[in-house]
Amino acid sequence: DAIVTVNNPELGRYRFQMKGQAREFLPDNGRWYWQIWGKGRMKPLNADWTFSGAGSWLDEEIRIRKLNTGFNGIRYGVMSMDAPALTLLSPLIWTRTGGQEKLSGKVQLTTRKIRLDNSYLPSATFDMALDGRDPRDFSVKGTLSAGKNIGPIHYWSRWDGVRLRGEARWPEQDMRAFQTLIPADLGITLRNGVFYAQAAYSAAPGQGFVAGGHWVVKQAGMWLKDGEVDGVDFVLPWRFSDNRWQLGSKTPVMLRIARVENLFDVTDIKADLQGYYPYDDAYPLKLSGVSLDVLGGQVTMPLLTIPQKTAAVIKLDKLNTGPLINTLKVTQFALEGSISGELPFYIDNPQWIVHNGWVENDEPLTLNLDNQFVESVSENNISAGTAINWLDYLVMKRVRTDVNLTNLGVLTMSSVISGYNPVLDARRTVNLNYRHEENVFQLWRSLRFGSNLEAWLEKSISQNQE
């Protein structure tokens, strides 16, 4: 009988109890049959560990024929496992013959759930086959499967007594298998597409866990709360070290989307991302090359750097006002023509989301008022009716609108309009100064549009104010 306690500043505290029987036994000479059980605190995995097993030491062969281990949970970085357990599939055998040492065996690790921040993988199974010389020099080869549809992911690892290193390959798989990895509050349902990935990793005292690889999504489609997305292509090169993600380690993260149907259709979406998360001044995150086609024109944003030092300028090029007015369900008037402009955009400004933006017409805009609206104004006020008649069919040669949007959602637009009414008198110039103020968050709620964008903006603003 024996009791052994171990305390290591990096590996944790452990207590082993052993009993067995041996006669005329010396290391590698004789026979010893034993049972062992115990518990410990595995500091690197932040886990409480219990175990039991049985085996023998017969001359130069150490054999573990029974092993059951359990953890209250494992947590490492952003990953955690619920109720993992390790069992033997075939005995662990260590042959210690001089010059012909060999270690072999098969084990299985199961867990009810693997959590990754706000997402998870369902019940998972790791199968591992060990092969090597001794416990300080061996490799592990196996597969990982989760739920009914995820995997098998093939992996290989090697332990040299100091460093654990390895690689994993995730073969091409249907995107619908990853529905549980998407937080439920996003309201996204995967519909089609394929995914595959590769990764390499290393862990050692003083270094921690380091990994890198890439994820690829091809031609994915999904349903949103209020629309759908088609033709998603996504390439994510990544690296993880010191609890920090490097996104786009050598080449940028690339996103391409063929079409998004929501309040109105958006097509040919492009964006590149490169940098770090969590981000700070020394490790910034950069979003570049953003462009999309919408309302018959194009919206672009050359660069957004987080933390943000200067405004990210959103450029509008020849957007058609007609579909925009129809989508916003404005019934009092119709507006035809295209506009362009620039909107300086902020994500961490204490006051502004858009500040000192502007929009101008590319060509004369045509304003038509609703007949019932004109008649209603004319009946109630004669002078107002006379003025409204000049706007009933107005060709606006120049339109300039200054735009500001506060982080509370208050949109302010100040417009200067110059035009003429060809029906009443084409030679007479009509000049208007117009100011409009509205809370766009409330507008989005009324249109059942942009709830995700609104929530993100409000969350980002509240965090920055804190």
Side-chain angles (χ1 to χ4, degrees), residues 267-306:
T267 60
D268 197 20
I269 301 172
K270 300 177 182 178
D272 295 329
L273 182 70
Q274 197 162 27
Y276 300 87
Y277 185 86
Y279 50 78
D280 54 36
D281 290 336
Y283 297 92
L285 184 63
K286 296 181 180 180
L287 178 64
S288 62
V290 176
S291 67
L292 54 91
D293 295 339
V294 62
L295 299 173
Q298 190 175 58
V299 177
T300 60
M301 185 177 68
L303 180 65
L304 168 62
T305 301
I306 309 174

Side-chain angles (χ1 to χ4, degrees), residues 160-176:
D160 60 12
V162 177
R163 183 186 305 274
L164 174 69
R165 61 185 185 276
E167 59 187 33
R169 182 177 61 87
W170 200 322
E172 190 172 287
Q173 194 145 30
D174 192 310
M175 281 294 299
R176 291 172 293 182

Side-chain angles (χ1 to χ4, degrees), residues 383-403:
S383 59
T386 302
I388 206 73
N389 285 331
W390 285 96
L391 305 179
D392 190 11
Y393 183 71
L394 183 65
V395 177
M396 296 177 287
K397 296 185 294 183
R398 180 179 183 272
V399 178
R400 164 80 181 203
T401 301
D402 294 317
V403 181

Side-chain angles (χ1 to χ4, degrees), residues 210-269:
V210 177
H214 67 268
W215 303 340
V216 178
V217 173
K218 287 187 175 181
Q219 291 300 298
M222 59 198 76
W223 287 288
L224 309 177
K225 289 180 179 178
D226 299 298
E228 58 182 289
V229 179
D230 291 311
V232 178
D233 288 328
F234 179 64
V235 180
L236 172 59
W238 61 275
R239 190 172 186 273
F240 182 80
S241 178
D242 293 329
N243 288 322
R244 191 186 300 271
W245 294 92
Q246 183 181 0
L247 306 175
S249 52
K250 293 184 179 179
T251 58
V253 178
M254 184 189 73
L255 175 65
R256 304 291 184 266
I257 303 176
R259 175 174 167 268
V260 175
E261 179 187 345
N262 200 297
L263 191 60
F264 33 73
D265 280 359
V266 182
T267 60
D268 197 20
I269 301 172

Side-chain angles (χ1 to χ4, degrees), residues 59-103:
D59 296 328
E60 296 173 338
E61 179 191 277
I62 299 176
R63 179 186 293 258
I64 301 176
R65 57 180 175 80
K66 182 181 178 181
L67 178 66
N68 290 293
T69 71
F71 303 83
N72 66 330
I74 290 177
R75 184 170 185 85
Y76 196 98
V78 298
M79 182 193 73
S80 63
M81 295 183 180
D82 290 355
L86 184 70
T87 57
L88 280 179
L89 296 181
S90 65
L92 282 174
I93 302 173
W94 179 17
T95 303
R96 296 162 46 87
T97 304
Q100 298 182 11
E101 295 88 349
K102 183 174 178 59
L103 176 68

Side-chain angles (χ1 to χ4, degrees), residues 38-219:
K39 61 182 179 179
R41 176 68 178 174
M42 301 184 71
K43 190 173 180 180
L45 300 179
N46 193 27
D48 291 328
W49 178 38
T50 60
F51 62 93
S52 64
S56 60
W57 192 342
L58 308 179
D59 296 328
E60 296 173 338
E61 179 191 277
I62 299 176
R63 179 186 293 258
I64 301 176
R65 57 180 175 80
K66 182 181 178 181
L67 178 66
N68 290 293
T69 71
F71 303 83
N72 66 330
I74 290 177
R75 184 170 185 85
Y76 196 98
V78 298
M79 182 193 73
S80 63
M81 295 183 180
D82 290 355
L86 184 70
T87 57
L88 280 179
L89 296 181
S90 65
L92 282 174
I93 302 173
W94 179 17
T95 303
R96 296 162 46 87
T97 304
Q100 298 182 11
E101 295 88 349
K102 183 174 178 59
L103 176 68
S104 64
K106 292 183 179 180
V107 297
Q108 185 178 78
L109 175 65
T110 60
T111 179
R112 287 201 296 260
K113 185 178 290 186
I114 300 177
R115 303 179 187 273
L116 302 166
D117 285 341
N118 294 325
S119 58
Y120 72 94
L121 285 171
S123 57
T125 301
F126 298 80
D127 288 330
M128 296 168 276
L130 283 71
D131 183 52
R133 290 173 52 86
D134 56 50
R136 294 175 297 178
D137 182 8
F138 67 93
S139 62
V140 177
K141 185 178 182 181
T143 60
L144 163 64
S145 300
K148 297 180 179 180
N149 302 312
I150 297 178
I153 302 168
H154 301 275
Y155 65 89
W156 171 87
S157 294
R158 180 168 181 79
W159 170 249
D160 60 12
V162 177
R163 183 186 305 274
L164 174 69
R165 61 185 185 276
E167 59 187 33
R169 182 177 61 87
W170 200 322
E172 190 172 287
Q173 194 145 30
D174 192 310
M175 281 294 299
R176 291 172 293 182
F178 304 101
Q179 183 65 53
T180 60
L181 290 175
I182 300 177
D185 57 359
L186 293 181
I188 297 175
T189 302
L190 299 175
R191 189 179 63 216
N192 52 35
V194 296
F195 167 89
Y196 60 90
Q198 285 185 321
Y201 53 89
S202 174
Q207 169 197 290
F209 182 73
V210 177
H214 67 268
W215 303 340
V216 178
V217 173
K218 287 187 175 181
Q219 291 300 298

